[in-house]
Amino acid sequence: SGSVGVSEAVAESLLVLNPDTKEIEPNLVTGLPTVSEDGLTYSYELKDGIKFHNGETLKSSDVKYTFTRMFLPATKATSIDSYAYIEGAKDIIAGTTEELSGVVIKDDRHFDIKLTQPYSTFNAIMAQFYAVIYPEKACKEAGEAWGTETNFIGTGAYKLVSNDSTTEVVLEGFADYHEGKPGLDELRFVYIDDANTRILNYKNNDVDLVFISQSLIQQYQNDESISKEIVYYTPASTQFVNLNLKSENLKDVRVRQALSMAIDRDTICSTILSGVAKPAKSFIPSSETGYNESAPEFEYNVDKAKQLLAEAGVSNLTLNAQVRSQDQNLMVALQDAWSKIGVTCNVSVIDSGVWSDARTNGDLEVTLVTWSTLSFQGVEHMGSYFRSDRAAKKSSFYNNPEFDKLLVEGRSESNKDKRTEDYKDADNLLTRTDFATLPLYWPKNSFVAKKYVKNAKVGNLIYHFFDVDIDTSN
């Protein structure tokens, strides 16, 4: 997520999510787009005279170029699902055209984006970094090299001056930035893989801000030299047990419910996770739209869990869990919890790359996943993993037409309350009726920053550096 923080300081989207209020605000445009009565046409007006780092002025044609490029098969862009509601996008993805009919240029500063169906979260999607706007000329000239070394420019507060992609990236303040020159002359991002080394460098004053890995948080909470400088934040993330519904062992919903009931989420949060996590009571966390405030906690009841297994006629159940090293401690705790209801779980640790491939191939029976969203929209968060076409590629294989239908209806529903009900119903179906996945907790993340670092914020897993300043006066 550090690298995203870099690209977000360099290139910007039309709209932006305010990390404090979680409201969508205009960024490269004069105001939020006006939306036609049928919910299909969004009309935008670019601010006058916004400059790219190469001195060119941002125009409607750059916007059209950026979105067209996103859908071209040659770009190999991931995360384009949410944008495929732009008219003509699916044709470009299919390779039948290179003309994005849904972006209509009126003049250099005015353009419309037309959708194929109403889409209630479209503004939130347009505020994500996937939708940052590139300068057509520079991007075309760079070709395949775009996004490598210093071939990356935008309208952002900082421009890229050096990048060796493995050890350090250097940005410098952009004097012509449309919101005024940023606070810092230079920003340096240093990549330090080892979690302990990061903190040592921080203590030695080599760096001013570092991300703290969850495994070390307890240690540093008790370290007086830095404990007061720790900043906690709650990303829109959920950690859950991913269950493979193709596995014969997990076909019966009573078995899945028993596995959920055997887990004491409160204790796991306070012990293994050092208190920097909140027990989940739904998939959608409290920071997102669609969160169900009145949902009860997931029940912890060992006797009832045993009874459910008996009703399902299941005994001597053995499951295989494959996890990445960062999830080993948690998986071992679940192994212990499940042993108390007579379920054996073999735990093995596999390399991240192997894990990713195995998950895509549907080979993981049980694993742990932390899934996040950038938009704070519950439907995008939940749907991007469990919609039937997505779940088929995630070793989940959840496939409930009713769930899919609720997501589609919610997305095109303009009434906010009705929309929220659809999302709550979908979450309830996923986690309490079908027990298709077992949400465990909502993580709290942390970073540590020197007292003189002002305005360092995390929008959601993305560090926002465009407002950062240094105040050494006190």
Side-chain angles (χ1 to χ4, degrees), residues 124-263:
I125 294 298
M126 292 297 277
Q128 293 189 5
F129 75 87
Y130 300 120
V132 298
I133 306 302
Y134 300 141
E136 178 171 8
K137 186 170 173 285
C139 191
K140 273 183 175 163
E141 280 168 8
E144 295 271 305
W146 183 255
T148 63
E149 294 165 5
T150 53
N151 293 301
F152 187 68
I153 65 174
T155 54
Y158 292 89
K159 58 184 184 182
L160 199 50
V161 288
S162 77
N163 169 24
D164 66 7
S165 75
T166 48
T167 54
E168 186 179 52
V169 174
V170 181
L171 306 181
E172 95 184 11
F174 180 39
D176 288 329
Y177 184 52
H178 61 96
E179 297 283 320
K181 190 174 185 313
L184 301 176
D185 295 330
E186 186 176 82
L187 261 173
R188 285 176 177 265
F189 295 85
V190 187
Y191 295 115
I192 306 164
D193 284 338
D194 183 71
N196 284 301
T197 312
R198 280 203 293 271
I199 305 282
L200 289 174
N201 284 26
Y202 179 84
K203 286 184 166 184
N204 291 339
N205 299 319
D206 299 331
V207 287
D208 305 302
L209 181 151
V210 298
F211 168 69
I212 305 177
S213 86
Q214 194 157 26
S215 56
L216 298 175
I217 191 68
Q218 201 160 17
Q219 185 182 334
Y220 293 115
Q221 281 170 337
N222 302 324
D223 181 334
E224 282 183 8
S225 67
I226 61 170
S227 60
K228 289 190 173 63
E229 294 166 9
I230 298 175
V231 178
Y232 296 96
Y233 63 95
T234 308
S237 295
T238 305
Q239 169 121 29
F240 56 93
V241 180
N242 189 62
L243 300 174
N244 191 325
L245 305 183
K246 283 242 162 111
S247 161
E248 284 304 322
N249 289 326
L250 298 166
K251 279 267 199 302
D252 193 314
V253 65
R254 291 168 295 191
V255 170
R256 305 193 298 265
Q257 186 176 358
L259 294 174
S260 179
M261 278 193 167
I263 302 168

Side-chain angles (χ1 to χ4, degrees), residues 26 33 50 62 171 178 182 191 207 236 317 344 361 371 457:
I50 290 183
D62 296 303
L171 306 181
H178 61 96
Y191 295 115
V207 287
L317 180 61
T344 304
N361 296 335
W371 194 246
K457 295 195 178 122

Side-chain angles (χ1 to χ4, degrees), residues 134 151-152 162 184 190 196 202 250 293 300 331 369-370 399 412 423 430 438 453-454 457 467 473:
Y134 300 141
N151 293 301
F152 187 68
S162 77
L184 301 176
V190 187
N196 284 301
Y202 179 84
L250 298 166
E293 226 160 286
Y300 167 53
M331 196 66 239
V369 178
T370 303
N399 186 349
S412 53
Y423 300 157
L430 173 75
L438 314 179
V453 175
K454 306 292 174 204
K457 295 195 178 122
D467 291 330
S473 57

Side-chain angles (χ1 to χ4, degrees), residues 40 70 73 80 92-93 101 106 114 149 175 212 225 227 236 253 270 301 321 342-343 346 355 417 444 454 461 464:
L40 297 178
M70 176 195 278
I80 54 177
I92 298 181
I93 294 167
S101 59
K106 296 181 184 165
K114 296 195 297 193
E149 294 165 5
I212 305 177
S225 67
S227 60
V253 65
S270 57
N301 188 328
V343 172
N346 299 322
W355 181 88
D417 294 336
K444 276 189 211 160
K454 306 292 174 204
L461 301 175
H464 288 302

